[in-house]
Structures are given as structure tokens and as C-alpha cells.
Amino acid sequence: MLNKVLDLDLALAAKGRSSLYHLLSLFYIKEISSEFLTQIKSKEIIDSLNGIGVDFGRVLFELPEEKLLDTLAQEYAALFIVPGGIPPYESVRLKDLLNQEPAWKTEEFYKRCGLIIKEGCKTFPDHLGMELEFMAYLSDKESAALKDNNEKAAIEWGNLQKDFFSNHINKWVFGFLDDLDRFAFHPFYKEVARLTKGFLETEKEGLNL
């Protein structure tokens, strides 16, 4: 009985990690939408983030929504898309070019775990948003295995998380986030950088890396 309770606690923890990975991925994969803005302006999200020292409330309510969305879209483009920004790609950070070996290896890793990138996708597989969403997927699988009391599968999914974090995220993301905090003009993306870095540092410690 005690083991079942412990497995359930671990399953809930893994599910929580998956949810946060998913939330973080949405900050990077594309510009902030009206729907996503409504989600992160909710009292539940604001209070949760305040609890870990991230103050989104201060920057999300100072402008009318339409103006804020336009401002954040311009900031997103300046940071992540136009020349002179800081492209959120592992290949760019490690190889100075898009779609290099890191991109090929991340796609191979996704396939090994049963995921295929949709044909026509214009985002390379080593985009930060995709790497974070992949970690959300792995954490969710670990959670499901724990709920099913499948210890072997849970360990396998946990090892995959450690492997991917060690060989991909850990090699480039922290330097990228330092640059994001340094070069972001709008405080929203500075808070995004702080939130992402704080969570990933906790993950790195939890994975014993």
C-alpha cells in the first residue's frame, strides 16, 4: 500500500513537471496569442509563478490587451526571428548555423521515442520550444507509468529525460537564457528567461547532472 502511495506521489510530481515544461514551450514556439495571454493572466497561474519569485502580473496588466499583444509580437520577432537576434536553436548556439547536427540528432531522439515531426513543419527539431515540449512528453509518459505501477517503464522514461537533458538542453540552453535576460527589452521576456532558467536548474539538479 505504501509503495502505491509513493508511486502516486511521484506520478503527480512527474505530471507537474510535464505541465511546466509544456507551459514553458509555449513561450518560445511562437509569439504570444490572445488565448495564451488569457491563460497566463489567470489568478491561478499568476499566483503559482509569484510563489517561485516570477512576477508576470506586473507586466501583463500595464497595457491594454491589444497593445500588449502587439508589443510582445514585436519583441518576439526582434529576439527570435530577425537577423541580429538570438535564435532559439541548438544548432545556432553550438554550430553557428541552422539545421546542423544537433537538429538531426534531436529528430532521431524524437523518433526513437515514437514521435514524428509533421511533414511541412517549418520549425527545426532543435528549437527550444520543441525540446521543452519533448521533455513534457517524456515526463508525462513517466507519470503514466508510475500511475500504472510499471516501475520498469517509469525508470526507462526517466533515463530518457536524463539522456536528452544532458546531451541537448544542458549543452546550450543556459547560455541562451543568459543572453535572453541580457538582451530582452520588454520585462515579460526577462521574466520568461528567469522562469525557464530557474526551473531547468532545478531539473538539472534533480537529474543529478
Side-chain angles (χ1 to χ4, degrees):
M1 183 65 168
L2 180 59
N3 285 339
K4 288 185 177 181
V5 172
L6 291 174
D7 282 347
L8 182 57
D9 288 344
L10 291 171
L12 290 172
K15 189 68 174 180
R17 292 173 48 248
S18 174
S19 296
L20 189 46
Y21 269 119
H22 175 65
L23 176 70
L24 292 173
S25 75
L26 296 177
F27 288 118
Y28 298 99
I29 200 66
K30 62 181 180 179
E31 63 190 39
I32 304 300
S33 66
S34 177
E35 294 76 16
F36 185 42
L37 182 61
T38 298
Q39 178 184 348
I40 58 179
K41 287 174 73 174
S42 69
K43 186 177 187 302
E44 180 182 4
I45 296 295
I46 293 294
D47 288 347
S48 296
L49 295 177
N50 284 344
I52 57 175
V54 178
D55 185 8
F56 274 126
R58 175 173 56 87
V59 299
L60 293 179
F61 297 94
E62 60 186 4
L63 293 175
E65 183 171 310
E66 185 175 348
K67 177 64 174 176
L68 178 60
L69 286 170
D70 183 62
T71 300
L72 293 180
Q74 292 181 44
E75 178 84 339
Y76 183 92
L79 287 170
F80 303 140
I81 298 176
V82 301
I86 46 173
Y89 286 98
E90 186 178 343
S91 289
V92 174
R93 299 296 298 192
L94 301 182
K95 302 294 183 180
D96 295 322
L97 289 172
L98 283 167
N99 198 26
Q100 300 302 301
E101 184 181 11
W104 314 333
K105 287 190 173 181
T106 53
E107 186 168 14
E108 289 173 1
F109 207 117
Y110 300 162
K111 289 180 179 178
R112 179 152 57 97
C113 296
L115 296 178
I116 303 295
I117 296 176
K118 290 182 179 179
E119 186 175 349
C121 178
K122 296 181 180 179
T123 304
F124 293 118
D126 60 337
H127 188 287
L128 176 55
M130 295 188 73
E131 292 195 1
L132 293 173
E133 184 61 25
F134 181 59
M135 287 294 292
Y137 170 80
L138 297 177
S139 301
D140 189 59
K141 287 292 188 179
E142 179 190 10
S143 176
L146 288 165
K147 286 181 67 176
D148 290 339
N149 296 311
N150 189 337
E151 184 177 352
K152 180 180 178 182
I155 291 173
E156 290 174 352
W157 290 112
N159 287 338
L160 286 168
Q161 291 170 64
K162 184 172 184 176
D163 188 2
F164 188 78
F165 195 107
S166 175
N167 289 299
H168 292 282
I169 290 175
N170 194 47
K171 288 186 174 181
W172 74 280
V173 170
F174 292 105
F176 167 83
L177 293 172
D178 286 341
D179 284 346
L180 177 57
D181 184 40
R182 185 179 304 115
F183 296 119
F185 177 77
H186 197 281
F188 175 82
Y189 279 104
K190 289 185 177 294
E191 294 295 332
V192 167
R194 288 181 56 213
L195 172 61
T196 308
K197 186 176 182 180
F199 173 66
L200 293 181
E201 285 177 339
T202 301
E203 284 287 279
K204 181 176 179 178
E205 182 178 351
L207 294 169
N208 295 315
L209 296 176

